[in-house]
Amino acid sequence: MTLLSPDTLEAARLLADGDLQGALRAAQRGLQAEPGNAPLWNLLGVCAARLGQAPLAEQCWRQALALEPVTPDACFNLGRLAEESGDAAAAEAHYRAELARDPDHSSSLGNLGNLLQDAGRLAEAEACFRRRLSFQPGAAAHYQLARLLAEQGRNGEAEGHLRACLDEAPDDAEALQLLGRLLEERGEAGKAEVMLRRALQSAPGHVVAGNNLGLLLMAQRRWDEAERHLRAAHAAAPGAALANLASLLLATGRAAEAEALARQALAAEPGRADWLNLLGLALREQGRDDEAGRAWEQGLASAPDHRRLRQNLGYLQLARGDWAAGWANHEARLESAAYPVVPSPRWPGESLAGRRLLVLFEQGYGDAIQFSRYLNPLLAKGATRVIALCREPLLPLFRRQWPQVEWQAMAGAYPADFPPHDCHVFSMSLPWALRAYSPRAEQAYLRADPALRQSWRARLPAGRNIGLVWRGRAEHPFDHCRSLPGPEALLPLLADRGVNWISLQPEPSGTERAWLAENSVMELGSGLTDFADSAALLAELDGVVAVDTAMAHLAGALGTSCRLLLAGEHVDWRWGVDGAATPWYQPLTLERRRRGEEWEDAIDRLAN
């Protein structure tokens, strides 16, 4: 190998000091005296690259390698140049050539690992990152490996490396924001917020950290703070934060602003499917359903596999009663990462004779109750066995109703291993698979346990008993729209002294309990143990007034009269676009809050 000449050392020093022109002159002077000096050609290439002269840089590095094939960093530099120009294959070849010279070349290991990760070759990428970490442990190496592990869902391992990175570099914004995301996914919102704020303090305007912090604050309904961070992220990188900012505007009743945002994005990128999807959502929320449908159809014309476009068009079609098309497009939901990969074919509706079918109940309790009606026609398909997975509180109710089904409980998520079966179907796909497109408003398809009914009957006062439910599950993305501010919003109803009002609200707070006692409302909701228990109590009532929760679905399925309070915004597809009747449940009457109204206005109408 050529010894480093004084000119080479001088050029290297000037380059390290940031004096590009001085380094360039030193390298050129040295090459006039030593045209065969490979390290000087390499340095000249670095100077040219930093001055934006990529073709000259490439010539210099290739000349260095021609003179001395093992010139340190020359292959690495060519790899970076190829990567910057978008030639991943050439970049990989150059990095591997550098590693053939020096198997522990840290930068080549890191860059090659990044290339492999981007290409989906995760095992090879992990090997590079671990080799780099073993040779040169440091913050950057820990972060690279953590990012790869997080991509694979190995969050515990990733967190360990992120914390090791932050021990060495406490202000590393990338590590802070990624750790914040992992903590948020684990349900530790407070700790996640601390990390994301630290990331923004370290790197003001960091788009990913601002975007993620905005989403975290949105989930907590801290709208103003969330909007500030999302607007800052949008200003820095519109494409990265636009959808989340628009979601906030839609969630807070500003659909016209969301529409303007979508149209601005479409002006910059005409026809982009994501922005057409967003435009459709904003239009639909303003009641402009025809325009929303056209926006989604336009998007699907160029991106027919776009899941959200198909899903949203399907919701609109179902809301309008276009059942066949709606159910077909509704199947797009199964492409979401939220759904498990089941090791069997999906059942498309043919005869099940001699086969074992797995039914997976999905989404919320109300969805499971609503779609359980399809079990009767499903069982008529002649399966040898039907195994059904549902959440545990539903099991006693469903087991009693369909004892021929093998019921299995699942917790908050689907199991890692499914019971043996031949094919599967998700519960909300049953109308599509059975070709039972139009729902029928059956009087009742669930029955309550007589013994449990008797137990509740003994606790109820004589006279007319009507149940009350004023809020749903807080985790629902639009719970702030569908739930009442509190039981006090129902006060106008309580003026009817001919009714015994019964609280069915699960887990009432101390403040709610005190209000119920002060207003002579009997509190029974806290005593409900599961849906069989709830069904027995509902079956003994003369009626229910509820917001859009599982209790309303259960009342409808039991044939108990129910007045369902619906918000004017973000109304679920299953309740249609207008009117007081629903094809899903005969005893349900829809009480719609009109656009611009407060809940008090709708409840006053109900009371009068």
Side-chain angles (χ1 to χ4, degrees):
M1 177 178 287
T2 303
L3 295 176
L4 297 182
S5 67
D7 286 321
T8 305
L9 294 171
E10 175 69 3
R13 183 187 66 77
L14 292 168
L15 185 63
D17 291 342
D19 184 356
L20 287 178
Q21 294 294 343
L24 185 67
R25 286 193 296 271
Q28 289 171 332
R29 185 172 58 248
L31 285 171
Q32 287 175 354
E34 299 179 84
N37 188 316
L40 270 176
W41 280 107
N42 186 51
L43 275 171
L44 185 61
V46 173
C47 294
R50 293 189 184 178
L51 290 168
Q53 300 177 41
L56 176 59
E58 182 176 358
Q59 289 176 12
C60 291
W61 290 325
R62 291 193 182 280
Q63 177 65 19
L65 289 168
L67 291 166
E68 195 168 308
V70 291
T71 302
D73 291 333
C75 285
F76 169 74
N77 290 332
L78 283 169
R80 288 187 60 190
L81 195 66
E83 189 172 354
E84 288 168 7
S85 68
D87 190 344
E92 179 180 347
H94 288 306
Y95 292 141
R96 290 194 183 279
E98 188 69 47
L99 288 167
R101 182 195 65 81
D102 177 5
D104 294 320
H105 192 276
S106 177
S107 297
S108 290
L109 287 168
N111 286 13
L112 177 59
N114 287 339
L115 276 180
L116 294 168
Q117 183 175 354
D118 290 344
R121 295 156 64 184
L122 302 186
E124 294 176 77
E126 183 174 346
C128 284
F129 295 149
R130 289 195 182 278
R131 189 162 142 199
R132 181 188 186 192
L133 190 61
S134 65
F135 171 70
Q136 191 180 56
H142 278 293
Y143 172 74
Q144 275 191 311
L145 181 55
R147 189 185 60 184
L148 175 74
L149 294 168
E151 181 181 334
Q152 295 175 296
R154 296 157 64 184
N155 290 2
E157 294 176 76
E159 182 177 339
H161 286 286
L162 288 172
R163 293 195 183 279
C165 171
L166 291 168
D167 285 342
E168 185 173 328
D171 296 326
D172 188 309
E174 297 299 335
L176 287 165
Q177 69 83 16
L178 180 53
L179 181 56
R181 196 196 84 196
L182 298 183
L183 290 168
E184 193 275 332
E185 289 177 2
R186 200 166 72 197
E188 298 186 38
K191 293 179 180 178
E193 182 177 344
V194 169
M195 291 296 168
L196 292 170
R197 290 191 184 279
R198 277 180 58 189
L200 287 169
Q201 185 177 12
S202 173
H206 192 289
V207 173
V208 177
N211 198 32
N212 288 347
L213 180 57
L215 288 174
L216 186 147
L217 296 168
M218 272 181 68
Q220 299 173 32
R221 275 54 165 182
R222 293 160 64 182
W223 304 115
D224 290 344
E225 291 179 85
E227 184 171 348
R228 284 199 300 274
H229 288 290
L230 290 175
R231 285 198 181 278
H234 175 62
L242 185 143
N244 294 330
L245 177 57
S247 294
L248 182 143
L249 295 171
L250 289 170
T252 53
R254 291 178 284 169
E257 291 182 58
E259 178 190 351
L261 209 58
R263 292 195 184 280
Q264 289 172 13
L266 282 166
E269 297 180 275
R272 180 170 167 179
D274 289 338
W275 305 151
L276 286 166
N277 180 59
L278 178 58
L279 176 62
L281 290 171
L283 292 167
R284 176 136 204 252
E285 198 52 36
Q286 295 175 75
R288 295 155 62 186
D289 287 356
D290 289 343
E291 294 176 75
R294 286 196 294 271
W296 289 329
E297 287 168 351
Q298 181 186 344
L300 284 169
S302 58
D305 296 326
H306 194 287
R307 176 179 66 83
R308 292 191 178 278
L309 281 169
R310 278 191 61 207
Q311 202 170 337
N312 288 326
L313 181 59
Y315 290 148
L316 175 60
Q317 290 164 333
L318 292 172
R320 290 174 141 185
D322 184 1
W323 301 109
W327 292 126
N329 282 320
H330 186 240
E331 289 297 284
R333 77 194 186 286
L334 299 178
E335 297 163 20
S336 164
Y339 283 84
V341 176
V342 184
S344 68
R346 284 168 56 192
W347 178 61
E350 77 278 12
S351 170
L352 285 165
R355 303 172 75 191
R356 300 166 299 174
L357 176 69
L358 176 66
V359 181
L360 300 103
F361 279 86
E362 56 186 296
Q363 300 189 29
Y365 292 120
D367 301 284
I369 291 167
Q370 179 182 0
F371 285 85
S372 68
R373 71 182 65 218
Y374 293 101
L375 284 177
N376 289 329
L378 174 66
L379 292 168
K381 288 285 186 177
T384 302
R385 292 170 61 194
V386 175
I387 309 109
L389 297 180
C390 74
R391 291 161 72 184
E392 192 162 8
L394 289 162
L395 277 181
L397 176 67
F398 285 172
R399 274 182 175 145
R400 186 179 186 282
Q401 187 70 41
W402 293 284
Q404 64 273 54
V405 173
E406 299 177 34
W407 292 98
Q408 295 189 18
M410 61 183 186
Y414 294 104
D417 297 313
F418 294 98
H421 64 284
D422 300 310
C423 53
H424 72 275
V425 66
F426 285 88
S427 58
M428 295 176 76
S429 292
L430 286 171
W432 171 80
L434 291 164
R435 308 299 185 261
Y437 296 134
S438 302
R440 293 179 300 172
E442 302 174 49
Q443 181 64 35
Y445 57 89
L446 290 178
R447 295 185 304 277
D449 185 311
L452 288 175
R453 287 187 65 167
Q454 175 58 40
S455 175
W456 283 110
R457 188 183 307 135
R459 297 179 60 180
L460 290 170
R464 190 162 175 256
N465 297 309
I466 296 181
L468 299 173
V469 181
W470 57 87
R471 60 177 164 82
R473 182 172 52 90
E475 295 79 18
H476 191 284
F478 298 117
D479 188 65
H480 61 289
C481 297
R482 68 172 184 161
S483 289
L484 302 179
E488 60 276 7
L490 295 167
L491 190 61
L493 299 179
L494 274 53
D496 186 346
R497 298 300 179 184
V499 172
N500 302 313
W501 298 100
I502 313 293
S503 169
L504 308 176
Q505 184 65 54
E507 301 179 356
S509 68
T511 303
E512 289 171 332
R513 287 173 182 267
W515 187 91
L516 296 171
E518 290 169 8
N519 289 275
S520 303
V521 177
M522 188 175 191
E523 196 283 294
L524 295 180
S526 60
L528 297 170
T529 58
D530 55 39
F531 280 94
D533 214 20
S534 300
L537 175 54
L538 283 172
E540 289 300 314
L541 298 179
D542 296 288
V544 177
V545 176
V547 295
D548 186 5
T549 70
M551 281 292 191
H553 287 278
L554 186 56
L558 290 163
T560 299
S561 175
C562 179
R563 309 293 288 272
L564 178 62
L565 295 166
L566 292 176
E569 308 84 29
H570 302 290
V571 179
D572 205 72
W573 58 267
R574 72 199 76 212
W575 307 126
V577 294
D578 54 28
T582 169
W584 291 102
Y585 304 107
Q586 195 175 90
L588 239 66
T589 302
L590 307 178
E591 303 289 346
R592 298 178 186 272
R593 191 180 77 185
R594 297 163 189 161
R595 290 182 184 274
E597 274 190 332
E598 299 296 328
W599 276 118
E600 290 76 7
D601 302 317
I603 293 167
D604 281 342
R605 281 201 311 276
L606 183 59
N608 297 323

